Amino acid sequence: MESISVFDMLKIGVGPSSSHTLGPWRAALRWIGELKEKNQFEDVVEISVDLYGSLSLTGKGHATDIALMLGLSGFDPVTFPIENIEKEIDFITSENKLKLNGELKVPFFPKQNIIFNRKFLEFHPNGMTFTATLKDGSKKSSSFYSIGGGFTVKEERKRKKIKMAKFALFPFPIEKGTELLAYCKAEGKSISEVVFENEKSLRSEAEINDGLKKIWDVMLDSMYVGAHTEGILPGGLNVTRRAFDMNKNLIGDNKYTNADEWIAAIRNTEVKFRQILKWVSCFALAVNEVNASLGRVVTAPTNGSAGVIPAVMMYYMVIENHDANFEDVRKFLLTSGEIGSIFKKGATISAAMGGCQAEIGVSSSMAAGALCELMGGTPEQCLMASEIAMEHHLGMTCDPIAGLVQIPCIERNAMGAIKAINACEMALDSDPSKAKVPLDKVIATMWETAKDMTSKYKETSEGGLAVQVNISDC
Ligand code: SF4
């Protein structure tokens, strides 16, 4: 088994899609690394990228071409200032030149050099092949696969050995929910404590805490930015941003000037059931409106589902526990990351493999278990909460209209967050020893359902809402 860190499951990136934007971006950077390693980089005179399968079918709506150009230019998706995206892309498209890794100017005609092929590569539905022509006329190609959540792999899986060696270092190697529970029981630890011990075999305590703080800062920022930005989302569907008005109506006369003061202001508002529903929806919509406009979000476990986990954490902070602090955030992220990794090991977090159950379903499950720990649930109740959340997402298809991560994606985050909270509450009131469906069984069911689902419903925009509703209807 390979190691999957919390920082693999929760990654800072740029919207709108982890598999179609962040993955290709990172693949382009990996390819540059390969060229350098083989001492071919300096000899490159021409480049092109072939996209296959789902990457090709919904690549335009998911900004795959933009991500590739930014990756090929050598920019880091974690730190690249998103306000510069337009300028960089304008430069490439108007000059028909690209500065490979910021160093080497090569001719680049986006419409010709990024090729959208309809066929699927056998290894994975999200395939891409980078080709470089060298000075001597020879061509060097390398294929990558974007397997969901920003993860990229090569068919030969060269990094597999390293990841397996890292997994062997974990004091508590976990593949399944039952193993996680066994460690919690044997050690008398919570889920987040067990996960923290594993993370310590990869990095120092300070690095873990610092990394989690950075992740939460981006999550909070994406909620704040989304809730304070009005207008229409890009892409042609004319989707109106809704978080802005929701926030305005809910916050009333409470004043604030930054995200921390916003939290205090929300705590000051009167909340009944309707307001709670609206606040949670507002947080989730905000993140995914930022995501849909190529903004900075945390892939959790994907970009399309990036709003669920922040919305549920924020719910805990502003509704459940007004004294919540970073320690709670830490526990929440560690627990949710581990639950996500169990899904990745036992099923998939890629919509191209499993439909939306693999994105919103998994994020809801991650959030439910993590919230349950903060609410005082036992590890058994936490996994029960995760199971309940996924059980009621089983079979959910991926059918984004016009290939844009907007409809049904943005609203789906609100629904996933609400389901997570409900699943948590049900688990807290239940005796997990009487549960009929353990988490591992629901994960296995999700994977079988994924395999039975036709490719029309796996991020290809060839079925469902994507064919019932045309961009011209919008
Ligand atoms: S429908 Fe779900 S899985 Fe598909 S792009 Fe939207 S959020 Fe992602």
Side-chain angles (χ1 to χ4, degrees):
M1 185 51 60
E2 297 171 45
S3 76
I4 300 180
S5 158
V6 167
F7 296 101
D8 293 320
M9 297 308 301
L10 307 171
K11 291 189 278 282
I12 297 169
V14 174
S17 165
S18 48
S19 56
H20 288 52
T21 317
L22 186 59
W25 188 326
R26 289 159 65 116
L29 291 169
R30 278 184 72 182
W31 180 56
I32 289 168
E34 273 185 4
L35 290 171
K36 292 213 165 200
E37 228 172 77
K38 292 177 184 161
N39 291 321
Q40 293 166 342
F41 182 83
E42 301 297 334
D43 293 335
V44 174
V45 290
E46 238 176 66
I47 56 169
S48 64
V49 191
D50 279 272
L51 299 173
Y52 297 97
S54 164
L55 261 194
S56 169
L57 292 167
T58 54
K60 287 218 172 91
H62 285 47
T64 307
D65 44 356
I66 291 174
L68 282 169
M69 286 187 260
L70 294 170
L72 290 168
S73 303
F75 297 119
D76 180 348
V78 177
T79 55
F80 181 71
I82 43 164
E83 59 277 13
N84 290 352
I85 291 179
E86 207 177 318
K87 190 183 83 190
E88 291 297 336
I89 299 300
D90 280 354
F91 172 79
I92 296 168
T93 46
S94 59
E95 300 283 318
N96 289 316
K97 280 193 183 77
L98 185 147
K99 226 176 180 187
L100 195 60
N101 203 34
E103 301 170 50
L104 190 70
K105 260 195 193 159
V106 289
F108 197 81
F109 297 82
K111 287 206 173 110
Q112 285 125 328
N113 294 131
I114 300 177
I115 305 137
F116 290 82
N117 299 280
R118 283 195 74 80
K119 77 169 190 184
F120 281 70
L121 296 184
E122 217 167 276
F123 183 71
H124 190 278
N126 287 334
M128 70 203 113
T129 302
F130 296 86
T131 303
T133 308
L134 305 187
K135 278 178 189 158
D136 63 6
S138 62
K139 288 190 187 293
K140 306 287 174 195
S141 290
S142 184
S143 293
F144 294 83
Y145 300 88
S146 180
I147 59 168
F151 289 84
T152 56
V153 297
K154 299 206 48 116
E155 202 167 340
E156 57 272 27
R157 299 294 326 271
K158 278 187 186 155
R159 297 193 296 189
K160 194 174 176 179
K161 267 194 191 153
I162 303 169
K163 291 199 154 200
M164 285 172 77
K166 281 186 181 168
F167 186 70
L169 293 176
F170 281 8
F172 306 118
I174 296 157
E175 204 179 327
K176 291 177 184 297
T178 44
E179 292 164 355
L180 171 59
L181 287 183
Y183 290 129
C184 290
K185 199 169 175 194
E187 301 290 320
K189 290 184 189 299
S190 64
I191 294 177
S192 61
E193 286 168 339
V194 165
V195 181
F196 191 57
E197 291 305 314
N198 280 347
E199 289 296 325
K200 282 200 293 188
S201 66
L202 300 174
R203 38 183 76 79
S204 72
E205 286 190 26
E207 282 170 329
I208 299 167
N209 292 333
D210 185 49
L212 293 173
K213 175 85 177 59
K214 283 191 179 124
I215 285 171
W216 173 244
D217 286 347
V218 173
M219 285 182 171
L220 178 58
D221 196 54
S222 59
M223 287 186 274
Y224 188 70
V225 169
H228 297 87
T229 309
E230 19 178 8
I232 305 283
L233 292 170
L237 279 182
N238 293 319
V239 173
T240 305
R241 289 173 177 260
R242 283 180 286 175
F244 181 89
D245 281 339
M246 286 179 97
N247 178 63
K248 203 167 133 203
N249 293 336
L250 287 162
I251 202 77
D253 292 332
N254 290 289
K255 301 276 178 272
Y256 54 92
T257 56
N258 59 43
D260 289 330
E261 287 175 16
W262 184 47
I263 290 175
I266 298 170
R267 286 173 174 165
N268 216 18
T269 60
E270 196 194 339
V271 284
K272 294 190 177 145
F273 184 66
R274 283 185 73 197
Q275 284 74 28
I276 295 173
L277 279 180
K278 287 180 192 209
W279 270 123
V280 174
S281 300
C282 172
F283 303 143
L285 296 181
V287 175
N288 286 80
E289 287 169 5
V290 169
N291 181 60
S293 51
L294 276 73
R296 175 145 290 125
V297 296
V298 175
T299 300
T302 65
N303 278 32
S305 60
V308 175
I309 286 173
V312 174
M313 182 61 225
M314 192 71 160
Y315 156 79
Y316 180 76
M317 275 194 153
V318 298
I319 308 285
E320 274 304 329
N321 180 4
H322 287 192
D323 295 323
N325 54 31
F326 178 65
E327 185 50 26
D328 297 296
V329 171
R330 236 184 105 264
K331 288 183 195 165
F332 187 86
L333 297 179
L334 288 167
T335 302
S336 62
E338 184 60 39
I339 294 166
S341 85
I342 295 173
F343 271 98
K344 180 155 167 51
K345 288 166 194 159
T348 179
I349 56 164
S350 161
M353 295 291 277
C356 200
Q357 56 173 358
E359 290 205 16
I360 298 290
V362 174
S363 63
S364 184
S365 184
M366 291 163 73
L371 177 65
C372 193
E373 180 171 318
L374 294 189
M375 300 283 284
T378 63
E380 289 81 3
Q381 285 173 318
C382 294
L383 293 205
M384 187 180 183
S386 292
E387 185 284 316
I388 295 171
M390 172 48 79
E391 191 178 314
H392 305 290
H393 282 97
L394 284 174
M396 189 185 273
T397 59
C398 169
D399 52 358
I401 299 176
L404 294 161
V405 193
Q406 297 183 9
I407 306 173
C409 320
I410 297 173
E411 278 179 6
R412 238 169 224 186
N413 281 265
M415 307 311 279
I418 298 290
K419 266 195 209 177
I421 296 167
N422 199 6
C424 166
E425 288 302 328
M426 283 200 250
L428 285 170
D429 282 344
S430 302
D431 175 356
S433 68
K434 297 199 174 119
K436 305 289 180 209
V437 188
L439 178 65
D440 294 331
K441 292 260 185 210
V442 91
I443 294 174
T445 307
M446 179 203 147
W447 184 224
E448 288 307 315
T449 310
K451 287 190 276 184
D452 289 340
M453 208 181 262
T454 91
S455 70
K456 283 200 296 188
Y457 301 112
K458 294 182 183 176
E459 216 170 4
T460 55
S461 287
E462 290 185 328
L465 288 173
V467 297
Q468 293 294 333
V469 185
N470 288 313
I471 200 159
S472 53
D473 300 331
C474 302

